[in-house]
Amino acid sequence: MGYLPLLFLAWFVPLVGAVFIFFIRGEEAVVAQNARSVALWTALATFIITLLIWGAFDPTQAGFQLVEKSVWLPGLNINYHMGIDGISLWFVLLSALLTLVCVINCWHSAERWIKEYMIVFLLMDALMIGVFCALDIVLFYIFFEGILIPMYLIIGIWGGGRRIYSAFKFFLYTLVGSLLFLVAILVMYLEAGTTEIPALMQHEFPPELQTWLWLAMFASFAVKVPMWPFHTWLPDAHVDAPTEGSVLLAGILLKLGGYGFLRFSLPMLPDASAFFTPLIFALSVIAIVYTSLVALMQTDMKKLIAYSSVAHMGIVTIGIFTTNALGITGGIIQMLSHGIVSAALFMIVGVVYHRLHTREIARYGGLAENMPVYALTFMLFMLASVGLPGTSGFIGEVLVIVGVFQINSWVALLAATGMILGAAYMLWLYRRVVFGALERKDLLALRDMRVNEVVAFAPLVLLALFMGIYPSFFIEPMQASIDNLLVQIGASGTELAAR
Amino acid sequence: MLHTVLVFAPLVGAIVAGLFGRAIGDRGAQIVTCGLMVLSALLATVGLFANVGEPARTVPLLEWIYVGSFQADWALRVDPLSSVMMFVVSFCSCWIHIYSVGYMAHDKSIPRFMAYLSLFTFFMLMLVTSDNLLQLFFGWEGVGLASYLLIGFWYTRPSACAAAIKAFIVNRVGDFGFVLGIAGVFLVFDTIQYDTIFRGAAGMANSTIVLFGTSWDTLDVLAFLLFIGAMGKSAQLGLHTWLPDAMEGPTPVSALIHAATMVTAGVFLVARMSPLFEYAPDALAFVTFIGASTALFAATIGLTQFDIKRVIAYSTCSQLGYMFFACGVGAYAAGIFHLYTHAFFKALLFLGAGSVIHAMSDEQDMRRMGGIWRLVPVTYAMMWIGTLALIGFPGFAGFFSKDAVLEAAWASHNAFAHYAFWLGVTAAVLTAFYSGRLIWMTFHGEPRADHETMHHVHESPPVMTIPLGVLAVGAIFAGWLGLGMLDAEGQFWAGSIFTGPDNHVMHDMHEVPFWVKAAPFVAMALGLGLSYVFYILAPDLPARVASAFRPLHSLFYNKWYFDELYDLVFVRGAKALGVAFWRGGDQGVIDRFGPDGVALSTLAAARRAVRIQTGYVYHYAFAMLIGVAALVTWYLVFVRG
């Protein structure tokens, strides 16, 4: 190899950092301080590595790049095989960025077992980067499932409220889906004789088998997205997770479902995907309308944002299954945007939760009075969530709606109702928390955002705006890969000609 | 370059005042925003003279979205239509900025206010200079945001917050149609660039398309979807409920956004998309019907309201109806002409009302005004000028444009053209009546305010009266100066407003019978005379008439019960559904038969097991992962190769 194995470094460096923290010994306060510092520098180094990956990435190439391959389990023909394409590139960067943001954000607010908290976040970092780079389906599965463990611990240990129930529900749901995914992997391996993702993409599975494989994968991905009616674990998990847990859960973990559909269901099982598209559209549209209405009535800030996530991810699944360039690009952009915006919104809740230890919307009101920076930041992300043009939320939403309108105007119409309902619940949330008269005594004493909080929010603010004003920056590197995907799923000639 | 500076100067002002308001102070924020607005207004004036009669050109700025043929750039389209709009927007905005320095002098958030005003102006300029539907939508939603921020400017008041949210959401209902319209345009034309759409529109005439399971005339359905957006933004019948409530915002906001500029965006949209609407006869009929109905409907409500700003707000709604039916009957130029004159006199009326409110110690109810005209002579004179322009008194700006609109309605062959004419004339009577009523109740008769308030009544400072004066000059002369817009050959617009080969309205409107030309004047005289009788000669008459026609009066006074209806159906409906889905769907069905049901038998045991291990599990898990990593590393380093 004439160059650095960047993908390897990207997931290995945080792991080394985690081990390093594991061996820190001494007085509690000192350990906590050192653990924080190590985590910060490790996360920063990892993020820089992912930037190097972006720099080394050639946007004109459609196939997998920066490929690392070596024999891992020779008898089984299973390899350590990593690589990225335009679809996974931005998710790798987002994972590293959000981990860094989490470490900065909890600088003052983490209270218990700080050393261990830092370790699980670096573990998450490694696993998230790994899952988006994996090109062997077994390797993918290990990362995919491995993520559950630290996330389960984050909710179960550092969570609040009914954290055990929520952690359990989270685990139960995702595990059932995952086991079916594992069965699908085994069947595919037996059928195709390989676990290489690029090879499986080329393999033509018989239509009958495709249906079963598709359903097995659907069980796993639909829970992750989550799609209606597999979504009820999400509000509970978010409510009881600590802020940073919610950030990674909403920012990255939910994207695994959409990524799975893009990476496996569409290219490997194109016939079944086409067959089940109406199902996906129906569930997505229900998700948008149903969960938006539910979000409207929530009294807990985190629950409200969690339900809004389900609605936003409904846009993503519609976009992916339009199987045209507009819809898929929109779906991916919507995932990236949601990764930034919902993560930021959970941090927004975290800022006041850390100060008052309640997420009850009714307990707040009038925060604009003494927290202007907070009010402005909240406003920006509220607008991005609502999909105001000029923010990242708009780009994905409009591309998906226009994309799906080309094939089914009813789905577009129903999906667009999310624009109205989304504005209703977000503006109402903002009005109750930030606007109004500042009356409660404990609110009067609230301080505006601290320096570390401002630093944590800054990249997200810039990205939400940058992605809204100059989305071509993000779309361009994806295009070759999306075209390639469209070829693989045999998109009709006219759709390609339209590009 | 000129237009780039013109459009972005307000944005710079907004950013400086908004983010660094604390550093530069109130005065600094005022100087920066007003200074940049003056610059913008000057450039817009230069631009207007330079661009009239010139063909369109585009100033590209930055690539925005490129996915296949779905391509939108950030760009400024400069043609006579956008130049007129830029001039109206920057000119009004500039004087309203200056007025705000006086009006908001005692507010504690001056930089924020100035920043919002400038931000609004920027979005509005982006809207009118767009060269594709997507940037138009950026400006469109952006002005909606600015409107939301400004209506809710006094965010500690619950009524202001409610009005702000209402404005945003009702606008979103319109935008929902707009987005589908954009999607439809892309489906049909495979582009969202104006030029390509305009070139292709004629070829799509009389074709059909299947959408939502129904077969439609292609251009009719596209124009109809886009017009839903216009209805929301321009507060037309059905989506009008937000505009009167928007009066919760500070008065300069009402003048700038809810009278002169933003609410006219819908009219601009129809004129801009005229190449499409011209081949969509059913959509044009619908536009005419909605416009004419709104013109009369809003005027009936205006008759009965007591809040001085709400009367003017309903008047705005009504006048927007005139602009729409002018476009509907094919006289887009007349619609834009009325938009342009209306901007001056309606901004003047609002700022004048603001001056009255300022004088009356923040009183807005006309029942507690009266008898102050000698105390505020300048404001009084300005209000009269605005009123005469609004009701179409000969020689004033509104006279030219309203006559043109009504004559075009008479001359057109649109299915609803005569419906529009008669409703328009009736609305003209009502307009003169409620405008006269406003003057009499506010300035004349016995003082009805308390002693304390009357004692404090004072004329506004020059920083407020000078903008009034400037706008008054506009309200008098704008009609004369803008007559070129009605040129039957369309030389003024140089193709930026399109009229189909069979559309001769701009020509035929000059050849209507004399009584059609005279009708608006008679209507105006009748309305004004009646208001004099009702409020000066026989002041007990209004109450007697109101009780004699109790049901009708209640209907008008309660705004035709639209708010109550919407609250019942949509607000309560959505909340009830939300609760039903949450408690019934999620908790009652999905959880009960899903995870909780499955886990019920084992949950207790599982809980115990989890709790026992919590402290240690992560160590195990961690060790396991380290193992995996070590294994991988081993193979990478030693076995590989």
Side-chain angles (χ1 to χ4, degrees):
Chain A
M1 264 188 248
Y3 54 88
L4 283 169
L6 284 172
L7 299 185
F8 171 74
L9 286 177
W11 71 272
F12 193 72
V13 165
L15 217 55
V16 171
V19 173
F20 197 83
I21 295 175
F22 186 74
F23 288 112
I24 295 177
R25 291 276 180 272
E27 227 173 292
E28 201 175 334
V30 180
V31 170
Q33 194 54 41
N34 288 340
R36 279 195 200 104
S37 301
V38 173
L40 176 68
W41 291 112
T42 311
L44 187 65
T46 311
F47 180 58
I48 291 171
I49 292 169
T50 61
L51 285 178
L52 293 176
I53 291 174
W54 168 72
F57 183 83
D58 175 4
T60 58
Q61 299 280 313
F64 291 102
Q65 303 181 32
L66 307 180
V67 173
E68 296 165 6
K69 190 171 177 182
S70 51
V71 178
W72 180 22
L73 304 173
L76 293 170
N77 194 15
I78 295 171
N79 298 320
Y80 168 81
H81 190 178
M82 304 282 262
I84 53 164
D85 66 354
I87 294 170
S88 51
L89 170 71
W90 294 118
F91 291 107
V92 173
L93 271 85
L94 185 65
S95 303
L97 175 68
L98 284 184
T99 310
L100 179 61
V101 165
C102 281
V103 171
I104 298 172
N105 192 59
C106 69
W107 202 262
H108 296 292
S109 57
E111 281 154 7
R112 288 180 285 175
W113 298 321
I114 290 161
K115 174 179 147 187
E116 288 79 3
Y117 201 52
M118 293 296 120
I119 290 176
V120 286
F121 275 96
L122 291 180
L123 277 181
M124 285 290 290
D125 200 5
L127 294 168
M128 292 185 303
I129 290 172
V131 75
F132 288 117
C133 296
L135 288 187
D136 185 291
I137 202 162
V138 172
L139 195 61
F140 175 86
Y141 188 76
I142 290 172
F143 285 122
F144 188 76
E145 292 306 296
I147 291 179
L148 290 186
I149 298 165
M151 186 44 84
Y152 175 74
L153 296 174
I154 288 172
I155 298 172
I157 296 175
W158 288 277
R162 299 198 301 166
R163 63 177 193 263
I164 304 297
Y165 170 78
S166 296
F168 189 73
K169 200 170 175 182
F170 163 75
F171 209 81
L172 187 74
Y173 253 113
T174 43
L175 198 68
V176 170
S178 304
L179 288 175
L180 291 170
F181 185 32
L182 184 61
V183 173
I185 291 175
L186 288 173
V187 173
M188 287 169 95
Y189 175 59
L190 293 175
E191 168 75 20
T194 177
T195 53
E196 298 275 304
I197 290 174
L200 288 170
M201 283 174 174
Q202 301 303 323
H203 189 87
E204 285 188 24
F205 292 95
E208 178 75 3
L209 185 63
Q210 282 200 19
T211 308
W212 292 109
L213 289 175
W214 194 94
L215 284 172
M217 288 189 181
F218 172 76
S220 180
F221 301 148
V223 165
K224 276 269 169 28
V225 166
M227 295 179 75
W228 186 90
F230 311 108
H231 65 280
T232 58
W233 64 270
L234 186 72
D236 285 323
H238 271 309
V239 162
D240 294 329
T243 300
E244 291 76 23
S246 290
V247 167
L248 292 188
L249 186 57
I252 304 296
L253 262 61
L254 301 193
K255 309 304 173 292
L256 289 175
Y259 180 75
F261 282 128
L262 278 170
R263 187 58 92 219
F264 300 101
S265 304
L266 281 185
M268 295 179 192
L269 313 168
D271 300 336
S273 295
F275 178 76
F276 284 112
T277 297
L279 172 76
I280 295 277
F281 282 173
L283 294 183
S284 307
V285 163
I286 292 173
I288 291 169
V289 177
Y290 177 110
T291 52
S292 294
L293 286 167
V294 173
L296 200 56
M297 297 316 293
Q298 297 307 309
T299 53
D300 181 302
M301 287 195 241
K302 267 191 156 180
K303 255 195 171 149
L304 192 153
I305 297 167
Y307 274 111
S308 86
S309 288
V310 182
H312 284 141
M313 293 307 285
I315 293 279
V316 171
T317 42
I318 288 176
I320 290 173
F321 278 85
T322 56
T323 57
N324 59 36
L326 273 176
I328 292 180
T329 310
I332 297 175
I333 289 285
Q334 174 79 351
M335 281 201 269
L336 295 172
S337 164
H338 181 263
I340 296 163
V341 173
S342 69
L345 283 171
F346 281 117
M347 282 160 60
I348 286 277
V349 176
V351 169
V352 285
Y353 179 76
H354 173 61
R355 286 158 173 71
L356 276 187
H357 295 281
T358 175
R359 294 178 307 265
E360 196 68 29
I361 296 171
R363 280 283 281 105
Y364 293 94
L367 296 185
E369 205 72 24
N370 56 352
M371 300 178 75
V373 179
Y374 178 75
L376 182 67
T377 316
F378 194 168
M379 169 72 73
L380 179 93
F381 288 112
M382 172 195 81
L383 295 172
S385 169
V386 164
L388 197 87
T391 64
S392 58
F394 171 69
I395 309 293
E397 201 170 74
V398 79
L399 286 176
V400 169
I401 289 173
V402 173
V404 74
F405 194 89
Q406 313 302 306
I407 56 172
N408 189 327
S409 48
W410 272 115
V411 175
L413 177 100
L414 292 168
T417 56
M419 279 178 54
I420 304 169
L421 295 170
Y425 62 70
M426 283 313 289
L427 292 190
W428 199 26
L429 169 71
Y430 192 80
R431 182 253 172 278
R432 287 178 287 172
V433 174
V434 178
F435 286 165
L438 188 62
E439 276 155 0
R440 290 176 180 274
K441 279 220 175 65
D442 50 357
L443 296 181
L444 276 168
L446 284 189
R447 279 181 41 204
D448 208 343
M449 297 212 289
R450 309 173 73 127
V451 175
N452 72 304
E453 287 166 336
V454 172
V455 172
F457 274 107
L460 303 180
V461 168
L462 293 176
L463 272 176
L465 288 174
F466 183 61
M467 201 184 266
I469 294 167
Y470 191 56
S472 291
F473 182 85
F474 299 92
I475 292 174
E476 214 176 68
M478 301 176 189
Q479 295 225 301
S481 298
I482 291 173
D483 287 348
N484 193 33
L485 175 65
L486 288 173
V487 172
Q488 276 170 344
I489 58 182
S492 63
T494 49
E495 271 164 348
L496 280 175
R499 294 189 41 81
Chain B
M1 190 63 205
L2 179 147
H3 293 95
T4 314
V5 175
L6 190 176
V7 171
F8 285 90
L11 178 65
V12 173
I15 291 172
V16 171
L19 296 186
F20 310 105
R22 211 169 287 177
I24 60 178
D26 291 355
R27 188 57 75 194
Q30 286 164 344
I31 291 170
V32 169
T33 51
C34 292
L36 287 165
M37 265 327 296
V38 170
L39 173 69
S40 179
L42 284 174
L43 292 175
T45 315
V46 174
L48 177 67
F49 284 106
N51 298 324
V52 164
E54 295 291 321
R57 63 198 161 85
T58 301
V59 184
L61 299 174
L62 181 74
E63 187 178 295
W64 188 16
I65 301 183
Y66 271 68
V67 181
S69 49
F70 190 83
Q71 300 182 341
D73 278 323
W74 296 105
L76 306 177
R77 181 189 174 93
V78 181
D79 63 7
L81 180 59
S82 65
S83 298
V84 168
M85 292 301 294
M86 279 190 271
F87 170 71
V88 170
V89 172
S90 321
F91 184 83
C92 290
S93 178
C94 160
W95 289 105
I96 289 164
H97 267 76
I98 293 169
Y99 177 92
S100 303
V101 172
Y103 190 83
M104 302 298 284
H106 305 297
D107 201 273
K108 65 186 176 67
S109 313
I110 289 172
R112 187 162 62 92
F113 184 78
M114 302 308 285
Y116 286 171
L117 275 190
S118 285
L119 185 68
F120 164 78
T121 313
F122 164 71
F123 281 128
M124 190 71 200
L125 291 170
M126 286 299 272
L127 191 164
V128 300
T129 54
S130 158
D131 87 322
N132 59 68
L133 283 172
L134 216 60
Q135 185 185 326
L136 175 74
F137 192 66
F138 166 80
W140 191 267
E141 289 247 295
V143 292
L145 164 69
S147 163
Y148 160 80
L149 292 172
L150 283 163
I151 296 168
F153 180 74
W154 288 311
Y155 55 78
T156 51
R157 297 181 186 173
S159 59
C161 291
I165 293 181
K166 187 173 176 182
F168 197 92
I169 290 173
V170 174
N171 267 292
R172 271 266 157 150
V173 174
D175 295 353
F176 159 80
F178 198 147
V179 163
L180 294 177
I182 294 175
V185 166
F186 182 71
L187 176 64
V188 172
F189 295 100
D190 198 36
T191 181
I192 47 171
Q193 298 288 334
Y194 289 159
D195 283 331
T196 325
I197 299 169
F198 296 167
R199 274 199 300 275
M204 285 293 166
N206 301 317
S207 63
T208 54
I209 189 171
V210 177
L211 286 180
F212 314 117
T214 319
S215 183
W216 311 75
D217 182 283
T218 309
L219 296 182
D220 271 330
V221 70
L222 297 185
F224 177 76
L225 286 172
L226 292 175
F227 181 64
I228 292 176
M231 284 174 66
K233 192 105 301 178
S234 296
Q236 293 299 287
L237 189 58
L239 296 179
H240 65 282
T241 53
W242 66 272
L243 183 58
D245 289 14
M247 298 304 128
E248 287 291 338
T251 306
V253 173
S254 312
L256 178 61
I257 299 185
H258 306 116
T261 55
M262 182 186 89
V263 289
T264 62
V267 182
F268 167 78
L269 173 73
V270 176
R272 174 54 92 201
M273 299 307 289
S274 53
L276 205 119
F277 278 83
E278 273 298 86
Y279 295 104
D282 291 349
L284 280 182
F286 184 72
V287 172
T288 312
F289 172 74
I290 290 288
S293 305
T294 309
L296 184 67
F297 160 81
T300 59
I301 300 174
L303 295 177
T304 58
Q305 300 300 307
F306 291 111
D307 183 317
I308 186 169
K309 283 177 70 182
R310 279 184 186 241
V311 174
I312 311 178
Y314 279 108
S315 158
T316 305
C317 206
S318 169
Q319 297 301 310
L320 289 165
Y322 278 91
M323 297 174 208
F324 272 115
F325 77 68
C327 293
V329 301
Y332 307 94
I336 295 292
F337 183 42
H338 194 51
L339 182 162
Y340 149 85
T341 58
H342 176 261
F344 294 103
F345 60 72
K346 195 49 70 69
L348 172 63
L349 279 172
F350 264 119
L351 294 188
S355 181
V356 170
I357 294 166
H358 200 67
M360 300 294 293
S361 313
D362 294 331
E363 179 59 70
Q364 300 196 13
D365 193 326
M366 296 193 297
R367 284 172 294 193
R368 287 193 285 277
M369 293 182 181
I372 56 167
W373 69 275
R374 278 195 190 81
L375 301 171
V376 287
V378 179
T379 305
Y380 178 64
M382 297 303 158
M383 285 299 276
W384 259 116
I385 294 173
T387 299
L388 292 175
L390 168 64
I391 66 180
F393 195 85
F396 288 82
F399 167 75
F400 298 95
S401 54
K402 195 181 284 184
D403 268 20
V405 169
L406 288 169
E407 285 163 15
W410 177 262
S412 167
H413 302 296
N414 184 296
F416 283 98
H418 285 213
Y419 172 83
F421 175 77
W422 288 112
L423 260 60
V425 170
T426 316
V429 179
L430 303 183
T431 306
F433 183 86
Y434 67 64
S435 304
R437 172 177 176 265
L438 186 148
I439 293 281
W440 312 133
M441 283 187 81
T442 307
F443 294 103
H444 292 266
E446 288 299 310
R448 292 181 296 276
D450 58 49
H451 201 73
E452 181 71 14
T453 311
M454 286 308 288
H455 185 69
H456 283 119
V457 172
H458 59 282
E459 186 57 270
S460 300
V463 70
M464 289 166 70
T465 52
I466 290 172
L468 284 178
V470 173
L471 289 169
V473 171
I476 297 170
F477 296 107
W480 283 340
L481 294 174
L483 271 178
M485 292 186 203
L486 296 178
D487 164 33
E489 310 307 321
Q491 279 169 357
F492 182 94
W493 301 107
S496 58
I497 288 177
F498 176 80
T499 44
D502 302 328
N503 179 350
H504 305 296
V505 170
M506 294 310 292
H507 188 260
D508 295 347
M509 61 186 272
H510 298 297
E511 291 163 13
V512 294
F514 176 73
W515 70 268
V516 172
K517 288 182 193 287
F521 177 77
V522 175
M524 181 272 294
L526 184 67
L528 195 60
L530 272 178
S531 72
Y532 187 72
V533 173
F534 267 59
Y535 291 92
I536 299 293
L537 295 183
D540 58 333
L541 207 54
R544 296 221 315 263
V545 172
S547 61
F549 298 96
R550 177 61 59 202
L552 203 59
H553 181 264
S554 300
L555 182 68
F556 293 169
Y557 185 70
N558 291 300
K559 310 158 222 161
W560 296 54
Y561 299 101
F562 264 94
D563 281 333
E564 286 75 6
L565 181 74
Y566 284 179
D567 184 62
L568 189 71
V569 177
F570 297 116
V571 179
R572 284 168 202 232
K575 286 183 175 178
L577 275 177
V579 171
F581 286 153
W582 180 27
R583 300 284 184 206
D586 269 20
Q587 295 177 351
V589 179
I590 297 173
D591 272 0
R592 190 158 149 229
F593 298 106
D596 290 0
V598 171
L600 205 62
S601 51
T602 55
L603 187 61
R607 265 188 183 161
R608 232 174 294 134
V610 169
R611 199 173 291 155
I612 290 165
Q613 296 180 11
T614 296
Y616 306 94
V617 163
Y618 104 87
H619 278 124
Y620 286 111
F622 181 67
M624 190 188 92
L625 282 165
I626 294 296
V628 172
L631 201 64
V632 173
T633 319
W634 168 266
Y635 275 98
L636 263 183
V637 178
F638 298 104
V639 181
R640 190 175 49 116

